[in-house]
Amino acid sequence: MSQAEPTDGDTTGTLKDSYLYSIQNGDDRPADDDMMFGVVRRQKYGIRNIIDINYSSLSPSDDLLTEFKQRADEVGHNTAVDDVNFRERYQQQLSNFKPQRLIEEITILLEGGTDVWLVCYENTDEKFCHRDLLKEVINERIE
């Protein structure tokens, strides 16, 4: 799990991220009043059981995911991120109206003191995940 902690005296909630199996296995333990947002294109493997809502518009597009997965099979996960310009393309996607509206909703929750989790399937201990970029975008709004 990675997170951005609020400073002392700050009522801003904490933005956290995790992946499905870490939560299922109890490695990450969200509080009952935390908001759990899925950021996946397709809900599978029981993710519906742990999230409050899924914002598929905050997941990479089908085209980007398909191209990324094909390239990752050839050169490895983290190398494929650069090869398909994943960061730039995903950031461009996030600049569209619907993702911006959803990011604003998450920002409002955080500013109101609610802890928010972004959840998908990727273990980010050694791999890049779109959650990393999404957290940067959200954190820029609340700073």
Side-chain angles (χ1 to χ4, degrees), residues 70-143:
Q70 288 172 345
R71 188 67 181 143
D73 286 344
E74 298 167 2
V75 298
H77 185 97
N78 289 338
T79 301
V81 170
D82 293 329
D83 286 1
V84 301
N85 297 316
F86 190 100
R87 288 177 180 87
E88 296 82 8
R89 292 169 65 187
Y90 180 63
Q91 286 175 326
Q92 177 62 39
Q93 178 188 324
L94 291 178
S95 70
N96 293 323
F97 176 76
K98 188 168 184 180
Q100 285 295 305
R101 193 182 77 219
L102 299 174
I103 289 167
E104 184 62 23
E105 288 180 23
I106 292 170
T107 302
I108 290 168
L109 285 169
L110 288 164
E111 289 173 340
T114 301
D115 289 347
V116 173
W117 292 73
L118 305 174
V119 182
C120 77
Y121 305 114
E122 196 64 57
N123 176 348
T124 58
D125 290 342
E126 297 177 12
K127 294 180 183 177
F128 168 84
C129 179
H130 71 286
R131 294 188 324 261
D132 300 325
L133 290 175
L134 181 55
K135 281 180 59 180
E136 286 177 22
V137 170
I138 295 169
N139 280 325
E140 286 173 4
R141 292 230 183 149
I142 58 176
E143 290 178 349

Side-chain angles (χ1 to χ4, degrees), residues 9 12 25 32 35 40 50 60 62 83-84 113 115 125 129 136:
T12 303
N25 293 335
D32 289 340
M35 283 297 296
V40 298
I50 65 164
D62 283 330
D83 286 1
V84 301
D115 289 347
D125 290 342
C129 179
E136 286 177 22

Side-chain angles (χ1 to χ4, degrees), residues 5-61:
E5 294 292 339
T7 58
D8 288 340
D10 192 350
T11 59
T12 303
T14 304
L15 180 59
K16 305 173 184 183
D17 74 294
S18 189
Y19 60 102
L20 176 64
Y21 295 117
S22 183
I23 295 170
Q24 286 177 330
N25 293 335
D27 296 329
D28 287 332
R29 297 174 191 262
D32 289 340
D33 58 346
D34 290 355
M35 283 297 296
M36 306 289 291
F37 290 99
V39 289
V40 298
R41 183 66 42 190
R42 290 175 191 78
Q43 297 179 61
K44 53 187 178 180
Y45 309 121
I47 198 166
R48 286 185 181 120
N49 298 329
I50 65 164
I51 60 172
D52 294 304
I53 191 167
N54 185 55
Y55 284 168
S56 61
S57 295
L58 296 180
S59 68
S61 68

